[in-house]
Amino acid sequence: MSAEEGKKIFTKACAQCHTVEQGGKHKQGPNLYGLFGRKTGQAAGFSYTQANKDKGITWAEDTLDIYLTNPKKYIPGTKMVFAGLKKKKDRANLISYLKESTSA
């Protein structure tokens, strides 16, 4: 896994809608700081769909891997328009970056 490669993926595929730094603003998607260990639909100040609130899973490497494969399949009704990352290596790199960049 490479957080450096993951950052490239984040910049290309995620940064348009998400920020990662502590205190970062919400965009079309929520700020992701503190993502690991947080339940779906719980970032303070972001307006989530009921589907995200009701999913009730806790974000971790395994749940993010499933979600990032096909977000709309994992959480039907999500407003996230991202189609997903089909390559396991890309997901692993992105998750590595997220783990590094969204934690204290």
Side-chain angles (χ1 to χ4, degrees):
M1 291 183 298
S2 165
E4 192 174 308
E5 288 301 313
K7 183 175 184 174
K8 292 176 188 172
I9 295 166
F10 183 87
T11 301
K12 182 178 164 193
C14 315
Q16 181 179 341
C17 298
H18 293 282
T19 57
V20 293
E21 65 278 354
Q22 185 172 13
K25 66 177 183 168
H26 297 308
K27 293 182 172 181
Q28 184 175 342
N31 169 266
L32 300 176
Y33 190 83
L35 175 69
F36 287 84
R38 184 168 70 208
K39 286 198 178 296
T40 53
Q42 299 296 312
F46 186 76
S47 177
Y48 286 94
T49 61
Q50 199 59 45
N52 267 284
K53 293 178 195 172
D54 293 346
K55 183 68 176 180
I57 59 105
T58 299
W59 291 122
E61 290 180 37
D62 58 341
T63 50
L64 277 168
D65 185 57
I66 299 166
Y67 181 68
L68 292 170
T69 303
N70 187 337
K72 289 189 183 302
K73 183 177 179 187
Y74 192 54
I75 304 181
T78 185
K79 62 184 174 184
M80 185 154 124
V81 295
F82 182 61
L85 292 170
K86 303 309 174 210
K87 295 179 182 172
K88 177 115 180 121
K89 183 179 178 187
D90 288 346
R91 292 192 309 275
N93 288 337
L94 178 57
I95 291 166
S96 178
Y97 170 71
L98 289 173
K99 199 165 191 183
E100 190 177 275
S101 64
T102 64
S103 304

